[in-house]
Amino acid sequence: MSSSTHRNELGDFLKARRKDLSPAMVGLAQDGGRRRVTGLRREEVALLASISTDYYTRLEQGRRQASVAVLDAIARVLRLNDDERGYMLELAGKDAERPRRQAAQRVQPQLRQLLDDLTHIPAMILGRRMDVLAWNPLAAALLGDFENVPEKQRNYVRMVFLDPSVRALYRDWTEVAQTGVAQLRMEAARDPKDPRLTALVGELSMRDEDFREWWGAHRVVTRGMGTKVLRHPVVGDLILDWNTLTCATDPDQQLVTYTAEPGTPSHDGLRILASWTTDARGSDQPGRAPR
């Protein structure tokens, strides 16, 4: 992805965000006439950010670079949250970049040890582009047997959209999928020249209409924490909290865990899966829960 394409991404993002706002939402009086555009006009954003309309127009068109101070002013006008502001700075080339490494990621030894020690908690390690780098047996029993997925296709977002069994696993599939797209958007800002990410986005855009629409919305979010509702084919409905632990020596690797409130049916369901995976590790198919 060229620098000019990256600038176009910034313009598309700014356009998408100002479409979300009305004059009333930012304290501007309604003019009473028919508006030709949805959301805020360019001149309204420029007025509120204390810059000229020409300056802002050229910024959206990729013909002008802006300082962090100006971008912060625009972020305030467009009511960007922290993730969206960080994404905008990445696209504008203002965020402090860390070294880009295109070599295949190797799971950090300490993270691998921690993963192996989590015998009663489903956990997996995600890398760049949300590739699934490693997992424990309970994660395979909960989310699906990653071992059966070709390594080049072992990507969490790809599986959410294109694997029917994974898609059927989530009761709140739309929310899970939209979050995955928003996280991929953030990845694209961090490394716009990543050919594997470009290929992944291209494939998903061609094969799934929802992905294509949500990618065009330019929503962004970082990996953090939340709740997912699963309908597991063996233990039934599960309400699980997920959280992420970022590796200090490689921030592109994160351990994702799934837990349930003790004493709940979801907690009991995880314990059943854990007992099955313990039994399975002594069989010919380690880490696989009976179906």
PDB file of all heavy atoms in Angstrom, residues 222-239:
ATOM      1  N   THR A 222      -8.946  -1.201  19.481  1.00  0.00           N
ATOM      2  CA  THR A 222      -7.827  -2.047  19.854  1.00  0.00           C
ATOM      3  C   THR A 222      -8.339  -3.278  20.598  1.00  0.00           C
ATOM      4  O   THR A 222      -9.456  -3.296  21.090  1.00  0.00           O
ATOM      5  CB  THR A 222      -6.832  -1.302  20.766  1.00  0.00           C
ATOM      6  OG1 THR A 222      -7.533  -0.804  21.914  1.00  0.00           O
ATOM      7  CG2 THR A 222      -6.188  -0.139  20.026  1.00  0.00           C
ATOM      8  N   ARG A 223      -7.486  -4.303  20.655  1.00  0.00           N
ATOM      9  CA  ARG A 223      -7.850  -5.480  21.422  1.00  0.00           C
ATOM     10  C   ARG A 223      -7.836  -5.124  22.898  1.00  0.00           C
ATOM     11  O   ARG A 223      -6.892  -4.523  23.382  1.00  0.00           O
ATOM     12  CB  ARG A 223      -6.863  -6.619  21.167  1.00  0.00           C
ATOM     13  CG  ARG A 223      -6.778  -7.051  19.714  1.00  0.00           C
ATOM     14  CD  ARG A 223      -5.708  -8.119  19.540  1.00  0.00           C
ATOM     15  NE  ARG A 223      -5.162  -8.092  18.185  1.00  0.00           N
ATOM     16  CZ  ARG A 223      -4.053  -8.712  17.819  1.00  0.00           C
ATOM     17  NH1 ARG A 223      -3.371  -9.400  18.711  1.00  0.00           N
ATOM     18  NH2 ARG A 223      -3.619  -8.634  16.584  1.00  0.00           N
ATOM     19  N   GLY A 224      -8.868  -5.506  23.601  1.00  0.00           N
ATOM     20  CA  GLY A 224      -8.933  -5.152  25.009  1.00  0.00           C
ATOM     21  C   GLY A 224      -9.610  -6.223  25.826  1.00  0.00           C
ATOM     22  O   GLY A 224      -9.014  -7.246  26.134  1.00  0.00           O
ATOM     23  N   MET A 225     -10.875  -5.993  26.149  1.00  0.00           N
ATOM     24  CA  MET A 225     -11.623  -6.955  26.949  1.00  0.00           C
ATOM     25  C   MET A 225     -13.098  -6.803  26.622  1.00  0.00           C
ATOM     26  O   MET A 225     -13.523  -5.821  26.018  1.00  0.00           O
ATOM     27  CB  MET A 225     -11.372  -6.713  28.447  1.00  0.00           C
ATOM     28  CG  MET A 225     -11.751  -5.317  28.923  1.00  0.00           C
ATOM     29  SD  MET A 225     -11.250  -4.998  30.629  1.00  0.00           S
ATOM     30  CE  MET A 225     -12.266  -6.206  31.479  1.00  0.00           C
ATOM     31  N   GLY A 226     -13.886  -7.798  27.020  1.00  0.00           N
ATOM     32  CA  GLY A 226     -15.311  -7.744  26.750  1.00  0.00           C
ATOM     33  C   GLY A 226     -15.982  -9.049  27.122  1.00  0.00           C
ATOM     34  O   GLY A 226     -15.429  -9.875  27.853  1.00  0.00           O
ATOM     35  N   THR A 227     -17.181  -9.252  26.606  1.00  0.00           N
ATOM     36  CA  THR A 227     -17.965 -10.457  26.890  1.00  0.00           C
ATOM     37  C   THR A 227     -18.472 -11.038  25.581  1.00  0.00           C
ATOM     38  O   THR A 227     -18.897 -10.299  24.691  1.00  0.00           O
ATOM     39  CB  THR A 227     -19.161 -10.129  27.807  1.00  0.00           C
ATOM     40  OG1 THR A 227     -18.676  -9.574  29.033  1.00  0.00           O
ATOM     41  CG2 THR A 227     -19.965 -11.383  28.122  1.00  0.00           C
ATOM     42  N   LYS A 228     -18.405 -12.360  25.468  1.00  0.00           N
ATOM     43  CA  LYS A 228     -18.945 -13.046  24.305  1.00  0.00           C
ATOM     44  C   LYS A 228     -19.943 -14.102  24.758  1.00  0.00           C
ATOM     45  O   LYS A 228     -19.768 -14.740  25.804  1.00  0.00           O
ATOM     46  CB  LYS A 228     -17.825 -13.707  23.490  1.00  0.00           C
ATOM     47  CG  LYS A 228     -16.950 -12.733  22.710  1.00  0.00           C
ATOM     48  CD  LYS A 228     -15.977 -13.494  21.829  1.00  0.00           C
ATOM     49  CE  LYS A 228     -15.248 -12.558  20.869  1.00  0.00           C
ATOM     50  NZ  LYS A 228     -14.335 -11.650  21.528  1.00  0.00           N
ATOM     51  N   VAL A 229     -21.006 -14.266  23.970  1.00  0.00           N
ATOM     52  CA  VAL A 229     -22.028 -15.275  24.240  1.00  0.00           C
ATOM     53  C   VAL A 229     -21.911 -16.359  23.178  1.00  0.00           C
ATOM     54  O   VAL A 229     -22.078 -16.088  21.987  1.00  0.00           O
ATOM     55  CB  VAL A 229     -23.439 -14.660  24.233  1.00  0.00           C
ATOM     56  CG1 VAL A 229     -24.484 -15.721  24.567  1.00  0.00           C
ATOM     57  CG2 VAL A 229     -23.529 -13.494  25.214  1.00  0.00           C
ATOM     58  N   LEU A 230     -21.591 -17.568  23.624  1.00  0.00           N
ATOM     59  CA  LEU A 230     -21.378 -18.680  22.708  1.00  0.00           C
ATOM     60  C   LEU A 230     -22.486 -19.711  22.861  1.00  0.00           C
ATOM     61  O   LEU A 230     -23.037 -19.895  23.947  1.00  0.00           O
ATOM     62  CB  LEU A 230     -20.031 -19.358  22.980  1.00  0.00           C
ATOM     63  CG  LEU A 230     -18.762 -18.679  22.457  1.00  0.00           C
ATOM     64  CD1 LEU A 230     -18.510 -17.353  23.141  1.00  0.00           C
ATOM     65  CD2 LEU A 230     -17.553 -19.594  22.624  1.00  0.00           C
ATOM     66  N   ARG A 231     -22.790 -20.390  21.758  1.00  0.00           N
ATOM     67  CA  ARG A 231     -23.706 -21.538  21.802  1.00  0.00           C
ATOM     68  C   ARG A 231     -22.882 -22.764  21.404  1.00  0.00           C
ATOM     69  O   ARG A 231     -22.824 -23.138  20.238  1.00  0.00           O
ATOM     70  CB  ARG A 231     -24.902 -21.319  20.872  1.00  0.00           C
ATOM     71  CG  ARG A 231     -24.568 -20.760  19.507  1.00  0.00           C
ATOM     72  CD  ARG A 231     -25.833 -20.355  18.776  1.00  0.00           C
ATOM     73  NE  ARG A 231     -25.518 -19.659  17.534  1.00  0.00           N
ATOM     74  CZ  ARG A 231     -26.397 -18.900  16.872  1.00  0.00           C
ATOM     75  NH1 ARG A 231     -27.622 -18.758  17.327  1.00  0.00           N
ATOM     76  NH2 ARG A 231     -26.050 -18.286  15.761  1.00  0.00           N
ATOM     77  N   HIS A 232     -22.270 -23.379  22.395  1.00  0.00           N
ATOM     78  CA  HIS A 232     -21.349 -24.485  22.149  1.00  0.00           C
ATOM     79  C   HIS A 232     -22.132 -25.758  21.830  1.00  0.00           C
ATOM     80  O   HIS A 232     -23.131 -26.071  22.494  1.00  0.00           O
ATOM     81  CB  HIS A 232     -20.457 -24.704  23.377  1.00  0.00           C
ATOM     82  CG  HIS A 232     -19.271 -25.551  23.096  1.00  0.00           C
ATOM     83  ND1 HIS A 232     -19.308 -26.929  23.154  1.00  0.00           N
ATOM     84  CD2 HIS A 232     -18.003 -25.222  22.732  1.00  0.00           C
ATOM     85  CE1 HIS A 232     -18.120 -27.412  22.850  1.00  0.00           C
ATOM     86  NE2 HIS A 232     -17.307 -26.397  22.590  1.00  0.00           N
ATOM     87  N   PRO A 233     -21.709 -26.516  20.830  1.00  0.00           N
ATOM     88  CA  PRO A 233     -22.483 -27.704  20.426  1.00  0.00           C
ATOM     89  C   PRO A 233     -22.471 -28.828  21.459  1.00  0.00           C
ATOM     90  O   PRO A 233     -23.314 -29.723  21.384  1.00  0.00           O
ATOM     91  CB  PRO A 233     -21.782 -28.143  19.136  1.00  0.00           C
ATOM     92  CG  PRO A 233     -20.415 -27.560  19.212  1.00  0.00           C
ATOM     93  CD  PRO A 233     -20.562 -26.263  19.942  1.00  0.00           C
ATOM     94  N   VAL A 234     -21.547 -28.785  22.447  1.00  0.00           N
ATOM     95  CA  VAL A 234     -21.467 -29.852  23.442  1.00  0.00           C
ATOM     96  C   VAL A 234     -22.037 -29.418  24.789  1.00  0.00           C
ATOM     97  O   VAL A 234     -22.862 -30.121  25.379  1.00  0.00           O
ATOM     98  CB  VAL A 234     -20.014 -30.337  23.609  1.00  0.00           C
ATOM     99  CG1 VAL A 234     -19.910 -31.344  24.749  1.00  0.00           C
ATOM    100  CG2 VAL A 234     -19.500 -30.949  22.311  1.00  0.00           C
ATOM    101  N   VAL A 235     -21.619 -28.249  25.282  1.00  0.00           N
ATOM    102  CA  VAL A 235     -22.011 -27.830  26.640  1.00  0.00           C
ATOM    103  C   VAL A 235     -23.060 -26.726  26.646  1.00  0.00           C
ATOM    104  O   VAL A 235     -23.417 -26.226  27.718  1.00  0.00           O
ATOM    105  CB  VAL A 235     -20.769 -27.392  27.449  1.00  0.00           C
ATOM    106  CG1 VAL A 235     -19.834 -28.559  27.658  1.00  0.00           C
ATOM    107  CG2 VAL A 235     -20.048 -26.225  26.777  1.00  0.00           C
ATOM    108  N   GLY A 236     -23.553 -26.338  25.493  1.00  0.00           N
ATOM    109  CA  GLY A 236     -24.633 -25.367  25.435  1.00  0.00           C
ATOM    110  C   GLY A 236     -24.176 -23.927  25.534  1.00  0.00           C
ATOM    111  O   GLY A 236     -23.028 -23.605  25.234  1.00  0.00           O
ATOM    112  N   ASP A 237     -25.073 -23.050  25.955  1.00  0.00           N
ATOM    113  CA  ASP A 237     -24.796 -21.618  25.982  1.00  0.00           C
ATOM    114  C   ASP A 237     -23.754 -21.278  27.041  1.00  0.00           C
ATOM    115  O   ASP A 237     -23.794 -21.782  28.168  1.00  0.00           O
ATOM    116  CB  ASP A 237     -26.071 -20.835  26.270  1.00  0.00           C
ATOM    117  CG  ASP A 237     -27.039 -20.851  25.098  1.00  0.00           C
ATOM    118  OD1 ASP A 237     -26.662 -21.394  24.035  1.00  0.00           O
ATOM    119  OD2 ASP A 237     -28.162 -20.335  25.236  1.00  0.00           O
ATOM    120  N   LEU A 238     -22.837 -20.401  26.664  1.00  0.00           N
ATOM    121  CA  LEU A 238     -21.775 -19.944  27.559  1.00  0.00           C
ATOM    122  C   LEU A 238     -21.668 -18.431  27.481  1.00  0.00           C
ATOM    123  O   LEU A 238     -21.656 -17.862  26.384  1.00  0.00           O
ATOM    124  CB  LEU A 238     -20.424 -20.557  27.167  1.00  0.00           C
ATOM    125  CG  LEU A 238     -20.291 -22.076  27.210  1.00  0.00           C
ATOM    126  CD1 LEU A 238     -18.978 -22.512  26.563  1.00  0.00           C
ATOM    127  CD2 LEU A 238     -20.377 -22.584  28.647  1.00  0.00           C
ATOM    128  N   ILE A 239     -21.597 -17.783  28.623  1.00  0.00           N
ATOM    129  CA  ILE A 239     -21.329 -16.348  28.684  1.00  0.00           C
ATOM    130  C   ILE A 239     -19.924 -16.185  29.252  1.00  0.00           C
ATOM    131  O   ILE A 239     -19.675 -16.495  30.422  1.00  0.00           O
ATOM    132  CB  ILE A 239     -22.357 -15.619  29.569  1.00  0.00           C
ATOM    133  CG1 ILE A 239     -23.768 -15.842  29.030  1.00  0.00           C
ATOM    134  CG2 ILE A 239     -22.042 -14.124  29.636  1.00  0.00           C
ATOM    135  CD1 ILE A 239     -24.861 -15.264  29.922  1.00  0.00           C
TER     136      ILE A 239
END
